[in-house]
Amino acid sequence: MENTEIKGPEIACSAGPVRDGTQDGTQEDRSHVFSYRGCDGASSSISREDLDRAFDERFPARMKEKLSAARVAIAGLGGLGSNIAVSLARSGVGHLLLVDFDVVDVTNLNRQMYLIPHLGMPKTDALRQILSQINPWLDVQACQVRVTRENAPGLFGHWPIVCEAFDRPDQKAMLTTALLAQCPDTVIVSGNGMAGLGDANDIRTQQKMRRLYVCGDGETDSTAGAGLMAPRVAVCAGHQANKVLQLILGPDSPVR
Amino acid sequence: MVKINGKEENAAGLCVMDYLRQAGFSPDVVVVERNLAIIPREDLDKVILQDGDSVEILRFVGGG
């Protein structure tokens, strides 16, 4: 176990590789091998080199270097945030910060990545556990804290890319305003409008301000009666994760 | 004239808060950028729009 506690003035965060704390897998300290129970019930294992090789067969080495070094924060671990985190973990983004105050609820199961055994668990812990079974060697920090205008710059100011994935519109506006005004080195990728059953093609990615990309249809409002359904939420989260990868890998990347 | 979300509007002299209310925006769910600078929430009623200003207003809806 390599978990360390990082204590700020108001918040406690856990940090480190996600390979500990899984239900079905364990990993010996400093080992590059992740052990798990296979589909036949027998004990099995996968190594870090196995994952690297699978990536290398498909993508150039330079891409892996950039992705492994990339640092992305996700604010809100609901339908958008949990889907974004899984996409980025599968893509090999090396350093993630997960922030949410809430615990997994039965109403989350219709669109969020969590499973029934996660009910009642902090979303930060549940998502770390899910990510650990996708890539046990990612550096995943998690903060179970409610984001406010006051703590947002301290939480996110050192992260070059922040995905805004909150549910409430006032929280979205609060975080986006705070980061744009106070964190000059942070690019924000926000979700705005993905409720209901409208055409998935209405969801798009637009650069709205110099350091702000917005994904969504900009219109459908979950607080105005249109419920959130898994497909459109996943489409929007996919837009956000894709923009993050473009920012990390693109030739004109504004990200260090 | 003030350019707001790409459209010229006769809003010079209004404070940003009054413009938002007049245009039907709830001030709690918007991000407002004026001449490439973000206006903090507490300054919305202090900043007066000037002729030639360029303003971007992004309105958030719920869902995530």
Side-chain angles (χ1 to χ4, degrees):
Chain A
M1 301 283 176
E2 291 184 15
N3 259 19
T4 52
E5 290 287 313
I6 300 173
K7 291 205 186 297
E10 300 167 17
I11 51 173
C13 301
S14 58
V18 285
R19 56 184 178 263
D20 53 342
T22 63
Q23 280 182 322
D24 304 311
T26 56
Q27 207 232 348
E28 292 154 34
D29 205 13
R30 282 183 291 279
S31 166
H32 280 210
V33 174
F34 181 83
S35 301
Y36 62 98
R37 194 176 327 194
C39 53
D40 56 0
S43 168
S44 192
S45 68
I46 187 168
S47 73
R48 188 171 193 170
E49 290 70 29
D50 291 331
L51 284 194
D52 283 348
R53 206 174 305 116
F55 191 95
D56 291 342
E57 282 171 10
R58 290 163 179 77
F59 304 103
R62 180 73 188 123
M63 190 184 279
K64 189 168 71 186
E65 285 167 26
K66 283 186 172 179
L67 289 167
S68 305
R71 301 168 63 247
V72 180
I74 302 170
L77 306 177
L80 293 177
S82 63
N83 273 288
I84 293 167
V86 165
S87 274
L88 297 181
R90 291 193 193 284
S91 304
V93 171
H95 307 272
L96 295 173
L97 171 67
L98 313 176
V99 181
D100 198 303
F101 69 94
D102 211 356
V103 298
V104 179
D105 180 80
V106 67
T107 59
N108 302 150
L109 296 177
N110 81 323
R111 69 188 189 283
Q112 308 188 13
M113 293 304 294
Y114 309 106
L115 307 173
I116 286 171
H118 294 129
L119 292 175
M121 188 186 291
K123 289 183 174 180
T124 44
D125 292 347
L127 194 53
R128 268 172 71 88
Q129 187 181 93
I130 291 167
L131 301 186
S132 76
Q133 296 184 40
I134 294 170
N135 185 334
W137 295 283
L138 297 177
D139 163 41
V140 178
Q141 302 179 34
C143 290
Q144 190 186 4
V145 64
R146 190 183 289 273
V147 177
T148 65
R149 198 162 62 144
E150 289 72 31
N151 69 15
L155 274 169
F156 299 109
H158 298 293
W159 290 80
I161 302 174
V162 175
C163 295
E164 179 283 304
F166 287 153
D167 192 38
R168 280 171 39 191
D170 58 325
Q171 295 297 102
K172 290 171 173 289
M174 175 276 292
L175 178 65
T176 307
T177 297
L179 297 186
L180 288 174
Q182 296 179 60
C183 305
D185 298 322
T186 298
V187 175
I188 301 148
V189 182
S190 188
N192 189 31
M194 76 300 300
L197 288 167
D199 198 326
N201 287 337
D202 292 341
I203 292 172
R204 59 200 179 280
T205 302
Q206 294 174 293
Q207 183 170 13
K208 290 287 192 181
M209 295 174 192
R210 192 173 66 80
R211 291 186 291 112
L212 175 63
Y213 296 85
V214 180
C215 307
D217 63 26
E219 297 288 337
T220 52
D221 189 343
S222 68
T223 58
L228 291 160
M229 304 285 283
R232 286 189 109 231
V233 172
V235 168
C236 188
H239 271 257
Q240 288 180 265
N242 189 55
K243 176 48 71 182
V244 168
L245 295 186
Q246 287 180 354
L247 290 169
I248 294 167
L249 298 170
D252 306 320
S253 170
V255 176
R256 298 173 304 284
Chain B
M1 297 295 271
V2 180
K3 193 182 229 180
I4 300 178
N5 288 355
K7 264 175 56 183
E8 295 288 347
E9 298 206 29
N10 194 8
L14 284 177
C15 77
V16 176
M17 185 69 96
D18 286 344
Y19 173 79
L20 290 174
R21 292 224 166 95
Q22 210 170 293
F25 290 104
S26 160
D28 288 329
V29 302
V30 295
V31 178
V32 185
E33 185 188 62
R34 170 177 167 258
N35 302 334
L36 301 181
I38 294 294
I39 304 179
R41 174 71 179 77
E42 64 270 23
D43 291 348
L44 290 176
D45 58 359
K46 299 188 188 105
V47 175
I48 310 291
L49 295 170
Q50 313 276 339
D51 242 350
D53 277 355
S54 184
V55 176
E56 283 295 322
I57 300 168
L58 171 65
R59 179 182 68 107
F60 279 108
V61 296

